[in-house]
Amino acid sequence: MTSDSPTAQVGTRNTRQKAAVLNLLQDNPQFCSAQQVHVQLVNSGEGIGLTTVYRILQALAGAGLVDVLRTDTEQLYRHCSPTHHHHLVCRSCSRTVEIEDRAVEQWAAQAAAEHGFREVTHTVEVFGICAECG
Amino acid sequence: MTSDSPTAQVGTRNTRQKAAVLNLLQDNPQFCSAQQVHVQLVNSGEGIGLTTVYRILQALAGAGLVDVLRTDTEQLYRHCSPTHHHHLVCRSCSRTVEIEDRAVEQWAAQAAAEHGFREVTHTVEVFGICAECG
DNA sequence: CGCTAATTTGCAATGGTTTTCATTAAGAGG
DNA sequence: CCTCTTAATGAAAACCATTGCAAATTAGCG
């Protein structure tokens, strides 16, 4: 049975805070940090703690509803399409393109199988300088 | 001109601390954290600060002499072969296999080129449960 | 050797994230 | 509605990693 509540996809209960984070992300196509999300919510009148923002973002990431981009110093979050994909990120301006390819999935699965590994997951990030910055 | 001093590959000077970190890593095939490296060195009588350990490990990683594995909470370091490769890591026991494949490199380069990106780099990690833990 | 310049070191302070634990509140069942 | 159970919240503490800056160390040179 699928959930009809907007926030039920993460955790077991619907809370004001989950809805607020989710709404903010859906309205914003940019990557933003947990701290930025927190400040924006507080400024817009939402009562929410920084810890809670971190936890909700983490849960959303685990559920595949947001992308996580780990920079050297911090982690950035962005609402994303729910299908499996990877990122092509500009080192200069952070412009991001979602990319997908079966070949990589198969390569990862096969490499793992050859060494007797099961329950395989993988992380892939591609970085470069985009055309506009180049 | 190539360096003949064991630690000259990182930075411009040979110090006791660099040699100590390098020796420890070469004797240890496992991934370990900066903090673990620090504790082990101090316990074995080396006078060295935690900050310095972090900096040396960072420099070694930049020079390609050690692998960095970013987990959720910390970064792990391990001495590695100097050729480009990726990792297959057991989620349970952290056993690690170095894997390599041209297909992934080419895929990344091509995906980037299609979107007009230059100077492409990529990070790839594969996780699973190894045969012994499975 | 001893002097000097410049890198390296390490403590302390900072930044970002996670954990702990007492409190709050969601929501199921009277 | 009211109550009860349990998950979620949030303030403070803990944690990992980085940065600023003064002191110590290295290595080149007289």
Side-chain angles (χ1 to χ4, degrees):
Chain A
M1 117 188 180
T2 60
S3 61
D4 31 308
S5 312
T7 65
Q9 302 161 88
V10 162
T12 63
R13 283 178 194 177
N14 295 326
T15 66
R16 182 173 47 78
Q17 290 91 335
K18 282 179 195 168
V21 172
L22 216 42
N23 280 336
L24 184 72
L25 290 177
Q26 280 167 352
D27 291 346
N28 191 342
Q30 304 287 336
F31 272 101
C32 52
S33 70
Q35 316 241 13
Q36 289 170 344
V37 170
H38 179 236
V39 169
Q40 286 185 55
L41 288 177
V42 170
N43 284 348
S44 67
E46 275 293 337
I48 188 170
L50 180 57
T51 305
T52 302
V53 173
Y54 273 106
R55 265 190 296 235
I56 292 176
L57 287 173
Q58 220 174 230
L60 288 170
L65 297 176
V66 303
D67 286 328
V68 186
L69 182 61
R70 298 178 103 148
T71 69
D72 286 334
T73 55
E74 64 187 353
Q75 306 177 186
L76 302 177
Y77 301 85
R78 194 189 61 162
H79 177 251
C80 73
S81 57
T83 59
H84 180 73
H85 60 269
H86 302 295
H87 296 132
L88 174 55
V89 184
C90 176
R91 263 192 300 271
S92 174
C93 70
S94 291
R95 199 164 70 86
T96 304
V97 181
E98 293 188 0
I99 53 181
E100 190 228 347
D101 195 309
R102 283 294 174 79
V104 182
E105 322 299 322
Q106 290 175 0
W107 166 80
Q110 187 184 333
E114 284 175 7
H115 293 278
F117 280 59
R118 301 179 303 98
E119 296 178 34
V120 180
T121 62
H122 60 272
T123 65
V124 174
E125 302 284 355
V126 183
F127 300 94
I129 305 291
C130 79
E132 308 206 352
C133 291
Chain B
M1 130 194 160
T2 60
S3 62
D4 31 308
S5 311
T7 63
Q9 303 160 89
V10 161
T12 61
R13 284 180 191 175
N14 296 325
T15 65
R16 181 173 47 78
Q17 291 91 335
K18 282 178 194 168
V21 171
L22 216 43
N23 281 335
L24 183 72
L25 290 176
Q26 280 167 352
D27 292 346
N28 191 342
Q30 303 288 336
F31 272 101
C32 50
S33 69
Q35 315 244 9
Q36 288 170 344
V37 169
H38 179 238
V39 169
Q40 286 184 55
L41 288 177
V42 170
N43 285 348
S44 67
E46 276 293 339
I48 188 170
L50 180 57
T51 304
T52 303
V53 173
Y54 273 106
R55 267 190 293 234
I56 291 176
L57 287 173
Q58 220 173 230
L60 288 170
L65 297 175
V66 303
D67 287 327
V68 186
L69 182 61
R70 296 177 96 141
T71 69
D72 286 334
T73 55
E74 64 188 353
Q75 306 179 187
L76 302 177
Y77 302 85
R78 195 190 61 161
H79 177 252
C80 72
S81 56
T83 59
H84 180 72
H85 60 268
H86 302 296
H87 296 132
L88 174 55
V89 184
C90 176
R91 262 192 301 271
S92 173
C93 70
S94 290
R95 198 164 70 86
T96 303
V97 181
E98 292 188 359
I99 54 181
E100 189 228 347
D101 196 310
R102 283 293 175 80
V104 182
E105 322 298 323
Q106 290 176 359
W107 167 81
Q110 187 185 333
E114 283 175 7
H115 293 278
F117 281 59
R118 300 179 305 98
E119 296 178 33
V120 180
T121 62
H122 60 272
T123 65
V124 175
E125 303 285 353
V126 184
F127 301 93
I129 305 291
C130 78
E132 308 204 352
C133 292

